[in-house]
């Protein structure tokens, strides 16, 4: 919900002129989708017990990437103050893929919501 809201809400009244970090918006996209993918994997792990951890991770990553593409298409087609960007899709996808790697490498054996 947070990612959807943040992606579609118009922040035109917010003054960000004091923030001068190159590619900050791409870093934000990366972090949002990194977090969303980690939380997605955890949620899937708690709800679906009969599927392997690798398939759960695959489902979360594919969903995150497709969701990012859909949000960018909606921004491009249906919003006046937001603009769809192919580089946002790349940042979203890289965030999801790094989350999958981090989860598989460091947390898949130990982490649970319980």
């Amino acid at each position: 919900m947070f990612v959807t809201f943040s992606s579609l809400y118009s922040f035109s009244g917010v003054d960000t002129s004091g923030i001068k970090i190159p590619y900050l918006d791409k870093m934000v996209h990366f972090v949002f989708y990194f977090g969303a993918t980690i939380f997605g994997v955890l949620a899937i792990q708690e709800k679906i017990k009969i599927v392997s951890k690798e398939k759960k991770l695959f489902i979360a990553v594919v969903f995150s990437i497709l969701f990012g593409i859909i949000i960018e298409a909606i921004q491009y087609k249906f919003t006046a103050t937001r603009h769809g960007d192919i580089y946002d899709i790349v940042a979203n996808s890289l965030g999801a893929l790094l989350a999958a790697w981090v989860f598989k490498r460091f947390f898949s054996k130990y982490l649970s919501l319980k």
Side-chain angles (χ1 to χ4, degrees), residues 66-78:
L66 290 176
F67 183 78
I69 292 169
I70 290 167
I71 288 293
E72 292 302 318
I74 290 171
Q75 285 179 349
Y76 178 77
K77 189 73 172 168
F78 298 110

Side-chain angles (χ1 to χ4, degrees), residues 3 7 23-38 64 68 72 87-102:
V3 172
S7 297
Y23 307 107
L24 177 63
D25 66 319
K26 304 308 178 236
M27 289 185 259
V28 170
H29 279 268
F30 180 88
V31 169
F32 279 3
Y33 282 81
F34 179 90
T37 303
I38 292 289
S64 292
E72 292 302 318
Y87 296 113
D88 289 347
I89 293 172
V90 171
N92 298 344
S93 300
L94 289 175
L97 291 169
L98 182 64
W101 181 81
V102 166

Side-chain angles (χ1 to χ4, degrees), residues 40-109:
V41 171
L42 293 173
I44 292 169
Q45 268 191 302
E46 294 299 316
K47 295 293 181 187
I48 303 172
K49 301 294 184 191
I50 61 173
V51 178
S52 71
K53 286 185 180 182
E54 288 78 17
K55 287 185 182 178
K56 293 173 188 176
L57 188 58
F58 179 77
I59 290 167
V61 170
V62 168
F63 178 82
S64 292
I65 291 172
L66 290 176
F67 183 78
I69 292 169
I70 290 167
I71 288 293
E72 292 302 318
I74 290 171
Q75 285 179 349
Y76 178 77
K77 189 73 172 168
F78 298 110
T79 64
T81 58
R82 305 300 302 252
H83 306 287
D85 184 2
I86 189 72
Y87 296 113
D88 289 347
I89 293 172
V90 171
N92 298 344
S93 300
L94 289 175
L97 291 169
L98 182 64
W101 181 81
V102 166
F103 190 84
K104 186 159 178 68
R105 178 83 168 103
F106 297 107
F107 299 109
S108 66
K109 295 177 185 169

